[in-house]
């Protein structure tokens, strides 16, 4: 039987990177103490979600993967605890900038970098100003065991069924989504938290795979516009889309759950979704509109 224990972290952030790293590290240690082998912090936990406005001085906070303070801290922690930590960070690569994720293994080494493929652009989420679209393609990594492969999409990627299905076809056995999402400045009455969960639970059901999602909480950038509030609701669900651990909108902590990958494989084969695929009929999906 192949079982894996995973964790999703939920917490608020400030513009103090050292405090943010310390707070994340505390929760990583808590999760590892409960047996977690893979611990997922939220997206861009190095600071407040800066993409709510366009400010050219904010590019200075980016750094290469081998120099970024958040990545270096998680490398040391992963090695000390012998766990995997998928680490989101603002990456600088020469003159280019990406919303990236470093997959850090239990030896503390970066196994590779995934650059966010889908980049949003709208009120409060003006990421196209800061980030180039990722050029790595989707990535899947070996997990705690060779047959427990980890697929990771970053935030806006989670709305696209193509992201989840592609990672599954690459061999993923679990899907992880670090996130920074909350209020919509253009519509104070719009709460996307329900759709956000449903989209990812749909990926779990249609691919028969567990999904782990980590979001931030709190209000950031408080000013005349009231700032931007992040709605949490981090969760872990099994291959049927049933929630096995969850937070609401305000809790700080580490969700921890043990998932049975052998059971998921059995159910995935039994449902026949991959047996009955008709790729020859899907060409329209990869054509320009």
């Amino acid at each position: 039987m192949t079982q894996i224990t995973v964790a999703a972290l939920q917490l608020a952030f400030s513009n103090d990177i050292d405090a943010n790293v310390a707070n994340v590290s505390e929760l990583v240690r808590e999760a590892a103490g409960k047996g977690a082998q893979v611990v997922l912090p939220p997206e861009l936990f190095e600071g407040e979600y800066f993409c709510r406005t366009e400010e050219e001085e904010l590019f200075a906070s980016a750094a290469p993967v081998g120099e970024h303070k958040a990545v270096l801290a998680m490398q040391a922690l992963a090695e000390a605890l012998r766990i995997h930590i998928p680490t989101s960070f603002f990456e600088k690569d020469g003159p280019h900038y990406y919303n990236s994720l470093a997959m850090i293994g239990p030896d503390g080494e970066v196994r590779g970098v995934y650059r966010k493929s889908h980049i949003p652009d709208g009120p409060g989420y003006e990421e196209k100003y800061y980030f180039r679209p990722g050029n790595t393609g989707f990535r899947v990594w070996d997990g705690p065991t060779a047959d427990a492969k980890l697929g990771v999409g970053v935030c806006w990627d989670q709305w696209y069924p193509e992201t989840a299905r592609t990672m599954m076809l690459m061999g993923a056995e679990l899907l992880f989504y670090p996130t920074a999402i909350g209020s919509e400045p253009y519509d104070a009455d719009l709460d996307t938290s329900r759709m956000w969960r449903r989209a990812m639970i749909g990926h779990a059901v249609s691919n028969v795979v567990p999904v782990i999602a980590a979001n931030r909480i709190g209000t950031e950038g408080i000013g005349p516009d009231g700032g931007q509030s992040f709605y949490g609701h981090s969760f872990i669900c099994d291959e049927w889309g049933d929630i096995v651990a969850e937070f609401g909108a305000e809790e700080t902590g580490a969700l921890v759950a043990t998932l049975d990958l052998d059971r998921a494989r059995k159910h995935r084969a039994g449902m026949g979704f991959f047996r009955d695929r008709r790729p020859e009929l899907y060409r329209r999906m990869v054509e320009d509109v």
Side-chain angles (χ1 to χ4, degrees):
M1 178 182 298
T2 300
Q3 292 189 327
I4 182 171
T5 301
V6 299
L9 308 185
Q10 180 169 294
L11 65 162
F13 301 104
S14 69
N15 279 323
D16 184 338
I17 187 171
D18 294 321
N20 294 331
V21 167
N23 291 337
V24 167
S25 297
E26 180 180 354
L27 291 180
V28 170
R29 291 183 183 280
E30 176 185 327
K34 295 177 180 177
Q37 299 159 278
V38 184
V39 180
L40 180 70
E43 180 187 22
L44 295 172
F45 66 84
E46 62 207 62
E48 290 188 356
Y49 178 74
F50 55 87
C51 306
R52 56 191 298 274
T53 60
E54 297 182 4
E55 306 289 345
E56 62 182 22
E57 62 266 22
L58 295 178
F59 285 100
S61 64
V65 62
E67 302 173 17
H68 198 286
K69 184 177 287 190
V71 175
L72 294 173
M74 293 303 108
Q75 285 185 262
L77 196 56
E79 182 178 16
L81 300 174
R82 307 301 298 170
I83 61 173
H84 290 74
I85 308 177
T87 300
S88 172
F89 71 106
F90 187 13
E91 182 187 14
K92 178 177 173 22
D93 180 19
H96 300 144
Y97 297 83
Y98 299 94
N99 187 337
S100 297
L101 179 131
M103 177 58 76
I104 300 171
D107 56 1
E109 296 298 315
V110 174
R111 302 284 178 86
V113 171
Y114 166 66
R115 292 170 171 165
K116 185 174 178 177
S117 298
H118 302 95
I119 309 297
D121 184 28
Y125 301 93
E126 299 176 29
E127 295 196 13
K128 281 187 168 67
Y129 178 76
Y130 295 100
F131 310 128
R132 287 168 61 91
N135 57 4
T136 60
F138 300 116
R139 302 291 307 271
V140 171
W141 290 275
D142 286 343
T145 63
D147 58 350
K149 293 190 181 297
L150 315 177
V152 186
V154 177
C155 200
W156 196 234
D157 290 332
Q158 68 210 358
W159 295 94
Y160 293 82
E162 297 88 347
T163 301
R165 180 53 58 88
T166 300
M167 289 190 290
M168 293 300 296
L169 292 171
M170 295 171 69
E173 303 265 9
L174 303 109
L175 299 181
F176 294 82
Y177 294 102
T179 298
I181 190 169
S183 58
E184 302 291 344
Y186 69 92
D187 186 348
D189 295 324
L190 178 60
D191 178 1
T192 63
S193 62
R194 301 184 308 282
M195 296 101 79
W196 176 74
R197 275 196 174 191
R198 288 170 187 159
M200 287 180 282
I201 289 171
H203 303 330
V205 173
S206 59
N207 291 286
V208 197
V209 64
V211 168
I212 301 93
N215 192 18
R216 63 176 63 202
I217 58 173
T219 300
E220 299 177 1
I222 298 173
D225 62 355
Q228 190 165 357
S229 297
F230 295 87
Y231 53 58
H233 285 95
S234 304
F235 71 93
I236 300 170
C237 73
D238 67 11
E239 72 275 11
W240 290 141
D242 292 326
I243 301 293
V244 297
E246 63 181 329
F247 281 137
E250 299 180 355
E251 294 96 327
T252 294
L255 295 174
V256 179
T258 299
L259 300 163
D260 187 336
L261 299 188
D262 281 343
R263 187 187 73 177
R265 293 182 192 115
K266 180 180 71 173
H267 291 158
R268 192 178 307 124
M271 291 300 292
F273 295 150
F274 291 86
R275 176 197 64 210
D276 297 337
R277 291 181 67 251
R278 297 288 306 280
E280 72 276 13
L281 303 180
Y282 307 154
R283 293 195 179 102
R284 183 67 183 88
M285 293 179 64
V286 296
E287 295 174 356
D288 289 336
V289 175

